[in-house]
Amino acid sequence: KGMVLKKPVYTIPATIETMGPVSVLENIDELPTEHIVLDEVSEYVEMELKLAYNTRFLKPEFKIVKLVAEVEALTEGEITVPVHISGLPKNKRLRLLPNQVSVKYSTGLSHYDVISPELFDVIVKYEDVIKNSSKIPVYIRTVPSYVNVIQYYPEQIGYLKMDVEE
């Protein structure tokens, strides 16, 4: 608890050349390792794992790989993000009230300083305006993979709708 992977778990080496019959090689794109379970990782993990493969046909250049899991402390932040309008016809204008939302999130410590509003895509849909409700729902369409949205506020916003003459 309170920890997150700094980056996806990886192996050293990342790739391995393997010799064997073409008929066998053309049907594989990975060599599995022996099975392990990493339930709770609270510190840097590095372990050697045997490859699991058909010893009769395959001859990999290595029989053991190093598995690496880098973890770091989880931290929370809050950021104000502008709301964009999806599907707005050219002859319509929509003024959002408010035109931004506050997003509370968690991320790894190494990512905290690079979080910016441009990394989020927060929208309202014009099709929700057509339904004639006084408030429309806010959707968070895109979030970086290293960010977990805890909550955002407001979840619905008001609007003023105007027709534009061309």
Side-chain angles (χ1 to χ4, degrees):
K1 294 188 177 196
M3 303 297 278
V4 66
L5 284 172
K6 193 172 186 177
K7 57 184 172 184
V9 175
Y10 61 95
T11 60
I12 300 172
T15 61
I16 295 175
E17 288 194 28
T18 304
M19 295 188 313
V22 173
S23 60
V24 174
L25 292 173
E26 67 187 8
N27 292 321
I28 61 171
D29 58 359
E30 62 184 37
L31 288 176
T33 63
E34 61 188 339
H35 183 75
I36 61 157
V37 176
L38 294 174
D39 281 338
E40 291 188 24
V41 178
S42 60
E43 58 186 30
Y44 178 88
V45 173
E46 188 175 294
M47 61 177 49
E48 290 188 345
L49 296 174
K50 291 180 183 176
L51 293 176
Y53 60 94
N54 186 332
T55 56
R56 225 172 97 201
F57 295 113
L58 299 176
K59 295 192 180 358
E61 64 179 323
F62 302 103
K63 294 181 180 182
I64 294 175
V65 295
K66 190 179 294 185
L67 177 89
V68 180
E70 298 179 46
V71 295
E72 64 182 343
L74 191 62
T75 188
E76 289 186 3
E78 194 165 331
I79 192 165
T80 301
V81 180
V83 179
H84 303 283
I85 304 164
S86 172
L88 185 65
K90 290 190 186 301
N91 65 338
K92 302 285 183 190
R93 292 287 179 263
L94 205 61
R95 183 170 177 209
L96 302 177
L97 305 166
N99 63 356
Q100 55 191 20
V101 295
S102 178
V103 178
K104 187 175 181 181
Y105 63 89
S106 63
T107 190
L109 202 52
S110 66
H111 293 110
Y112 185 78
D113 289 337
V114 298
I115 302 296
S116 67
E118 296 78 29
L119 297 174
F120 298 82
D121 186 17
V122 178
I123 64 163
V124 292
K125 298 177 182 176
Y126 185 74
E127 66 190 52
D128 290 332
V129 172
I130 296 170
K131 294 175 185 172
N132 221 7
S133 57
S134 61
K135 292 196 173 222
I136 52 178
V138 175
Y139 304 93
I140 298 186
R141 189 164 52 181
T142 307
V143 178
S145 61
Y146 48 85
V147 170
N148 178 42
V149 173
I150 298 170
Q151 70 182 56
Y152 58 96
Y153 183 81
E155 293 181 10
Q156 294 189 347
I157 55 178
Y159 61 90
L160 295 174
K161 183 171 76 169
M162 299 166 270
D163 291 328
V164 176
E165 293 185 30
E166 295 184 33

